[in-house]
Amino acid sequence: MSNEPTKIDAKGYWSATVRLTISLLVIWFAVSYGAGVLLRDVLDNVSIGGAPLGFWFAQQGSIYVFVALIFYYCFAMNKIERKYGVKG
Amino acid sequence: MDWTIFFVVASFGTYIGIALWARAGSTNDFYVAGHDVHPMINGMATAADWMSAASFLSMAGLIASLGYGGSVYLMGWTGGYVLLALLLAPFLREFGKFTVPDFVGDRYYSTAARVIAVICALFVSFTYIAGQMSGVGIAFSRFLGVDFNTGILVGMGIVFIYAVLGGMKGVTYTQVAQYCVLIFAYTVPAIFISMMITGNPVPQLGFISNVRGEDVSMLENLNQVVTELGFIEYTSTNKSWIDVFAITGALMFGTAGLPHVIIRFFTVSSASAARVSAGWALVFIALLYTVAPAVGAFARYNIIDTVNETTYIETDDYATAAEGITSNGGTPVPEWFKNWERTGLVGFEDMNGDGLMQIRGPNAPDGLANEVTINNDISVLASPEIAQLPEWVIGLMVAGGLAAALSTAAGLLMVISSAISHDLCRRTLFKGMSDKTELRIARVAAAGAVAAAGLMGMNTAKLAFVAQVVAFAFGLAAASLFPIIFLGIFWKRMNKEGAIASMAFGLISTFSYIYYFKFVDTDPSHWFLGVSPEGIGFVFMFFSAIIGIVVSLVTAPPPQDIQDLVEDIRVPGTRTRHGSVDDDMGPMDDHTPTPAE
């Protein structure tokens, strides 16, 4: 194979990846453990439709956010890959 | 009955047809389906692989009886996919080999680490697969009038054909078909029940809607009904928050560490495909997992509504007896209850001799005893009849339950056979083995694993502990496999000594704790930090990671070669060969230049 790989900034790529991962895990923690377990009693004072909000996060909301998190991660990783010259 | 036979035979025929079409020609096909499965297709296969007979049949009923407490399963078994997508799957795919012990053995340049990982993988997979096979046996004996053991033999035969012939390739495409069967069977009755109770055809919305024609929400109404009968509110729990926290954690990290889930992401073409594929997997899983809490709440509501305080019917002639009761101004027990009573999944004992069926919780205000027993699986199994759907829908449910059990069993078989043929034979015992020989051994190992799983399934009644083993599988995966895979990617300094210490601690501590508190001392007040055996894997996971880090720091750093390998798998497209670790590897993926070129 003759084509020399384009300039890859592996260090920059990795630190951007780690930063993104940490911020997404904060959201992951907030919607499940945060809203669904630790802050449930507070959130339950509010309703979404006919369900207490904390209960809803534990049984429905967290799952929707999980799905969104993974697809956002794919989107953001593609951008990071382009920026640092990485071919995914 | 005829419809059930029709759906079961038709679905099994489809699986065999797919197996004959997708035969494996090489170890690459057999272990990872040639690395070229489309990310969405793999997502669908992963969803079927992941959702077992327990997810399909038991989870909604479990949530129905636990209320808010059931949330641990919903969050735990979906949140793990976020960890998998962000922390493990893309990097393990970039590593580019076949199995989880492959990664552990190579990253930690150690045969001992590889063998311990094989033991973890085998232990987790065998405990899990026995439950699937007995699920198949139960489905056959209950619905097709076939003997329990014969049912398991039929199930073994089907899995044998597509797992042994097709390997991962056959398993992947049959899992896609099985996903379609199971999701259709699950959602159709749910839609009708949601319409019946709330008037909203989308179960996820019905869950938060008002009761049809009334000005009170379904959940609020349910809370009121269950507290009046002496249960705790549906939207609350009597578990401590620390235990809820720990169980959710053990299920999440355990999910991410389960070998049969991880290896599904080896079948796609690249690290970025692995990320997208994890997203699709969770979409397909969420389709069932967001419907399940609705099915559970509707079932709880419906069962109390239609059964409580009705008049029991002794005789087999339901129609005449029911007519008699109605003409006297009473309400007869619903017919579905009488139908399922024969299977032993529901039962009635008239404690106070009044002929009426009382459902009561532990703190019933009127002081009456509970007279009705309801198995958790009823919430799903009886849902077509409760919704008054035609008889063929029940046949569909049976085919769906079998699809869920068989697809999970097949995924586990792939882990077992590759752990034996690849990790033990090719990479540990007989290093120079040819691809052809390895493929033959992989087939023999898969066949042996089918037989072993079947035998375990047939003996589940005797192996009392099998019912309790879900805690083992997730706890062990969380405490022994997750930390070393995660640290192996995110911390270059992690070395062989640290990995072995970490895995050994996770395996031994979690196993001992669960065994001790499940079988020796079952008193919850003795639990460590108040954490149940189901949640302990989460706590020990942290200890096991800390032990791995400390031991690594006081011993020599890993060789330069290994540190370079870690840098490579972090950055897609930069993976090159690293000495003896990659000696036996086939050609690299085409985007990766090898040093020789």
Side-chain angles (χ1 to χ4, degrees):
Chain A
M1 232 184 286
S2 59
N3 56 324
E4 200 53 28
T6 42
K7 290 176 294 314
I8 290 177
D9 177 2
K11 276 220 168 68
Y13 172 83
W14 183 243
S15 62
T17 305
V18 171
R19 270 198 309 276
L20 173 70
T21 305
I22 291 171
S23 47
L24 293 182
L25 286 180
V26 169
I27 303 176
W28 165 82
F29 183 89
V31 294
S32 49
Y33 292 108
V37 183
L38 301 175
L39 300 174
R40 179 171 67 94
D41 293 337
V42 184
L43 290 178
D44 274 357
N45 294 321
V46 186
S47 289
I48 174 163
L53 188 59
F55 173 82
W56 182 81
F57 261 105
Q59 300 217 329
Q60 298 266 297
S62 56
I63 302 177
Y64 300 131
V65 180
F66 294 154
V67 172
L69 279 179
I70 300 183
F71 282 106
Y72 178 78
Y73 175 68
C74 299
F75 165 78
M77 283 305 291
N78 287 342
K79 253 178 37 185
I80 291 176
E81 280 171 358
R82 274 198 300 277
K83 185 172 167 193
Y84 294 96
V86 172
K87 187 173 164 287
Chain B
M1 194 63 99
D2 295 343
W3 279 109
T4 309
I5 294 169
F6 169 78
F7 279 112
V8 170
V9 170
S11 61
F12 280 22
T14 313
Y15 308 151
I16 292 174
I18 293 171
L20 295 175
W21 165 73
R23 272 197 306 262
S26 64
T27 52
N28 208 30
D29 279 349
F30 195 88
Y31 293 137
V32 292
H35 277 321
D36 64 355
V37 178
H38 186 276
M40 196 178 98
I41 295 294
N42 183 54
M44 211 179 257
T46 309
D49 188 69
W50 170 237
M51 293 192 284
S52 58
S55 284
F56 186 90
L57 289 179
S58 313
M59 193 176 63
L62 207 55
I63 298 167
S65 64
L66 294 173
Y68 168 79
S71 312
V72 296
Y73 303 107
L74 294 166
M75 289 190 288
W77 285 336
T78 55
Y81 279 84
V82 177
L83 299 172
L84 201 57
L86 271 57
L87 303 177
L88 310 181
F91 309 107
L92 291 176
R93 174 61 193 90
E94 189 63 21
F95 173 67
K97 298 219 183 153
F98 293 153
T99 68
V100 170
D102 249 347
F103 175 78
V104 175
D106 289 351
R107 166 63 181 82
Y108 296 111
Y109 47 98
S110 155
T111 306
R114 191 187 306 274
V115 172
I116 298 175
V118 167
I119 294 171
C120 293
L122 288 180
F123 192 87
V124 168
S125 303
F126 267 118
T127 49
Y128 220 107
I129 205 170
Q132 304 307 317
M133 294 317 272
S134 76
V136 171
I138 290 169
F140 270 96
S141 58
R142 247 175 223 158
F143 301 104
L144 296 167
V146 179
D147 173 61
F148 180 80
N149 287 349
T150 316
I152 288 186
L153 281 176
V154 175
M156 280 166 64
I158 299 291
V159 180
F160 180 89
I161 291 172
Y162 64 76
V164 175
L165 276 183
M168 198 58 160
K169 202 171 158 198
V171 167
T172 300
Y173 295 103
T174 38
Q175 281 175 337
V176 169
Q178 285 159 338
Y179 178 80
C180 298
V181 173
L182 77 88
I183 200 70
F184 188 70
Y186 201 82
T187 42
V188 168
I191 289 170
F192 281 95
I193 292 181
S194 182
M195 283 210 299
M196 200 171 84
I197 296 181
T198 68
N200 194 320
V202 183
Q204 290 91 335
L205 297 177
F207 187 56
I208 57 170
S209 299
N210 286 350
V211 178
R212 191 162 73 173
E214 286 178 43
D215 200 25
V216 57
S217 79
M218 190 274 299
L219 286 167
E220 213 174 302
N221 198 322
L222 181 57
N223 272 342
Q224 205 182 331
V225 169
V226 295
T227 42
E228 274 168 14
L229 297 179
F231 297 97
I232 58 163
E233 277 197 342
Y234 190 78
T235 54
S236 69
T237 180
N238 42 25
K239 279 198 175 93
S240 72
W241 74 263
I242 186 159
D243 202 25
V244 170
F245 200 97
I247 297 176
T248 309
L251 297 179
M252 281 187 179
F253 288 93
T255 299
L258 282 178
H260 74 284
V261 178
I262 293 176
I263 58 165
R264 284 246 42 105
F265 294 95
F266 295 166
T267 66
V268 297
S269 62
S270 67
S272 67
R275 285 179 214 131
V276 181
S277 196
W280 281 116
L282 190 54
V283 167
F284 293 121
I285 291 167
L287 272 179
L288 190 145
Y289 271 58
T290 54
V291 170
V295 170
F298 294 151
R300 182 81 178 268
Y301 185 90
N302 229 323
I303 289 170
I304 293 175
D305 193 45
T306 56
V307 175
N308 191 34
E309 307 295 345
T310 55
T311 308
Y312 185 70
I313 292 173
E314 292 280 0
T315 61
D316 284 337
D317 185 4
Y318 179 85
T320 326
E323 214 169 291
I325 292 166
T326 318
S327 62
N328 289 336
T331 316
V333 57
E335 192 168 8
W336 65 261
F337 191 95
K338 289 300 293 176
N339 290 342
W340 287 95
E341 202 178 18
R342 281 179 225 125
T343 64
L345 291 177
V346 295
F348 168 66
E349 192 187 344
D350 197 1
M351 309 264 196
N352 60 357
D354 66 353
L356 298 177
M357 307 179 65
Q358 272 98 24
I359 300 180
R360 290 295 183 274
N363 305 307
D366 58 9
L368 291 180
N370 182 44
E371 301 177 335
V372 182
T373 52
I374 290 158
N375 184 293
N376 281 337
D377 297 356
I378 277 296
S379 297
V380 170
L381 283 174
S383 63
E385 284 161 280
I386 296 175
Q388 290 160 3
L389 295 175
E391 201 197 334
W392 59 266
V393 182
I394 301 167
L396 195 59
M397 299 295 287
V398 176
L402 285 169
L406 292 175
S407 58
T408 306
L412 293 161
L413 281 174
M414 296 317 298
V415 171
I416 295 169
S417 76
S418 63
I420 292 168
S421 62
H422 186 69
D423 299 305
L424 276 186
C425 293
R426 170 79 169 261
R427 310 244 17 222
T428 309
L429 299 173
F430 317 104
K431 284 192 175 141
M433 185 190 282
S434 76
D435 195 70
K436 246 184 149 169
T437 318
E438 190 185 347
L439 183 58
R440 213 171 301 137
I441 296 178
R443 289 208 159 107
V444 173
V450 173
L455 281 176
M456 286 177 75
M458 288 177 191
N459 289 300
T460 37
K462 285 170 225 154
L463 303 166
F465 89 107
V466 171
Q468 311 269 13
V469 291
V470 184
F472 278 110
F474 285 92
L476 288 175
S480 66
L481 290 171
F482 184 84
I484 53 147
I485 301 175
F486 168 71
L487 288 169
I489 297 162
F490 284 79
W491 196 48
K492 263 192 293 184
R493 181 65 179 72
M494 182 81 174
N495 66 13
K496 163 169 111 179
E497 290 80 3
I500 293 174
S502 170
M503 269 193 293
F505 171 82
L507 190 64
I508 295 167
S509 64
T510 312
F511 183 88
S512 317
Y513 189 91
I514 297 178
Y515 189 84
Y516 184 79
F517 284 110
K518 282 280 188 195
F519 303 109
V520 182
D521 173 7
T522 49
D523 181 358
S525 66
H526 297 164
W527 290 347
F528 176 63
L529 300 173
V531 175
S532 58
E534 284 79 12
I536 200 64
F538 180 66
V539 179
F540 286 158
M541 176 185 80
F542 289 100
F543 291 160
S544 132
I546 291 167
I547 287 172
I549 291 169
V550 171
V551 172
S552 293
L553 287 175
V554 299
T555 46
Q560 193 54 45
D561 229 17
I562 298 296
Q563 303 201 26
D564 293 345
L565 170 73
V566 176
E567 299 231 315
D568 281 5
I569 62 173
R570 288 175 177 180
V571 185
T574 59
R575 173 89 158 91
T576 52
R577 283 172 182 276
H578 291 280
S580 60
V581 161
D582 292 328
D583 272 352
D584 72 323
M585 209 171 161
M588 288 278 174
D589 292 347
D590 44 26
H591 64 265
T592 315
T594 56
E597 290 165 302

